[in-house]
Amino acid sequence: MKGYIEDKEFGKIHVELRRGMTSVRFSIQPSGSLLMRAPLGVLVSDLKNMVDANREQLRQLPRPQAVTFAYGQVIECYKCRVVIEPQNRLPGYILNHWDGDTLHLQLHENADLNDDGIKRTLSSVIGRAMEVQAHAVLLPFARRVADELGLKPAGFEVGRGMRKLGHCTGKRIIQLSRNLMFLPEELIRYIICHELAHLTHMNHSPQFHALCNKYCNGKEKELERQLRAFRFPILK
């Protein structure tokens, strides 16, 4: 069941009431609006009280990044880059070609790069390109890091998550998001080390963080802060 409530600070809060839920969860939607998931049967007055009770925490939720595209823009990626250029041949089309390690994306010169639809399309095209590149350069880098640490995961895979950039499965397979391609190498290595530490500790216990910190040469907390502050150049 879906609906919304109005709040003086957060505006329209979208609400999803779900059978089987036992607690209330809040998240920020890509549009920037607040989403509230709660157990089926909760009263509107109770929903508003829950917002009031969690107001300070809700203010701290990360807001969606402002993604902008422009002609002449260069997006630096791991071992490659993306350049956005104008073209005057085919309105409504995105032309693309690789020149060495540079992907040229060409949109019609009259295209509005601030249009949400164009932003989504560009983000999708760039994401797919980075998925291919991730297999070519990201996974070999991850294997080298594992070898340096003397670790033997069962394998490496490429995923697509923006919020979940890495995962260690119960079968000891390390999954790395294609979106790591947008990060500087030091942060890529941090995420790889984080997932490799899960080969020993499948939790986030003090022992896990001590091991991860060791793999990161004592910089785990600093790298985590840098990662939280990083803004991805494409839409989620």
Side-chain angles (χ1 to χ4, degrees):
M1 182 176 176
K2 297 183 179 181
Y4 68 89
I5 58 175
E6 292 284 353
D7 182 78
K8 62 182 182 297
E9 179 177 357
F10 300 115
K12 181 182 289 187
I13 300 176
H14 295 266
V15 177
E16 292 182 5
L17 300 181
R18 296 186 173 185
R19 191 182 306 276
M21 285 195 70
T22 58
S23 61
V24 176
R25 299 177 184 175
F26 294 94
S27 62
I28 301 296
Q29 299 187 104
S31 63
S33 60
L34 191 62
L35 172 63
M36 183 180 189
R37 295 186 176 95
L40 188 66
V42 174
L43 300 176
V44 171
S45 58
D46 291 332
L47 294 173
K48 292 181 177 180
N49 288 336
M50 292 172 191
V51 172
D52 287 333
N54 291 278
R55 192 168 296 277
E56 187 57 39
Q57 291 90 332
L58 295 178
R59 291 175 182 143
Q60 304 302 317
L61 288 176
R63 264 36 189 183
Q65 63 196 64
V67 171
T68 58
F69 294 111
Y71 291 119
Q73 180 179 359
V74 178
I75 301 174
E76 294 292 343
C77 307
Y78 180 61
K79 303 294 185 182
C80 63
R81 65 184 57 84
V82 178
V83 179
I84 299 175
E85 302 168 333
Q87 51 94 353
N88 56 16
R89 290 170 287 167
L90 296 172
Y93 286 85
I94 299 178
L95 308 180
N96 65 88
H97 70 275
W98 284 93
D99 180 11
D101 60 0
T102 300
L103 173 62
H104 297 266
L105 295 181
Q106 300 176 333
L107 293 86
H108 194 267
E109 58 191 7
N110 294 327
D112 179 7
L113 301 191
N114 290 316
D115 178 79
D116 286 342
I118 291 179
K119 285 184 179 182
R120 287 193 296 270
T121 301
L122 265 175
S123 295
S124 177
V125 171
I126 295 170
R128 291 196 301 269
M130 290 305 106
E131 187 168 348
V132 174
Q133 288 297 103
H135 284 279
V137 298
L138 179 63
L139 297 192
F141 177 55
R143 294 186 186 101
R144 290 197 300 273
V145 173
D147 288 343
E148 290 171 11
L149 297 173
L151 300 172
K152 300 291 185 182
F156 290 92
E157 297 177 348
V158 175
R160 298 183 179 182
M162 185 76 80
R163 296 183 185 277
K164 193 172 186 178
L165 297 173
H167 177 59
C168 177
T169 74
K171 295 182 178 180
R172 298 174 59 84
I173 295 174
I174 305 297
Q175 297 173 344
L176 300 171
S177 170
R178 67 188 186 185
N179 294 303
L180 267 66
M181 293 292 298
F182 300 113
L183 297 175
E185 183 173 309
E186 188 174 39
L187 290 182
I188 296 174
R189 183 185 179 94
Y190 160 63
I191 292 171
I192 294 169
C193 288
H194 182 106
E195 301 310 327
L196 289 172
H198 279 311
L199 294 173
T200 304
H201 301 286
M202 289 294 287
N203 52 41
H204 289 100
S205 63
Q207 292 82 3
F208 163 82
H209 285 292
L211 182 60
C212 182
N213 190 49
K214 177 182 176 181
Y215 290 166
C216 295
N217 298 315
K219 298 174 64 176
E220 182 200 22
K221 290 185 178 180
E222 176 187 340
L223 294 169
E224 182 181 6
R225 284 194 295 269
Q226 291 180 26
L227 181 61
R228 290 183 181 278
F230 188 83
R231 294 294 176 261
F232 288 90
I234 66 172
L235 294 173
K236 297 179 181 179

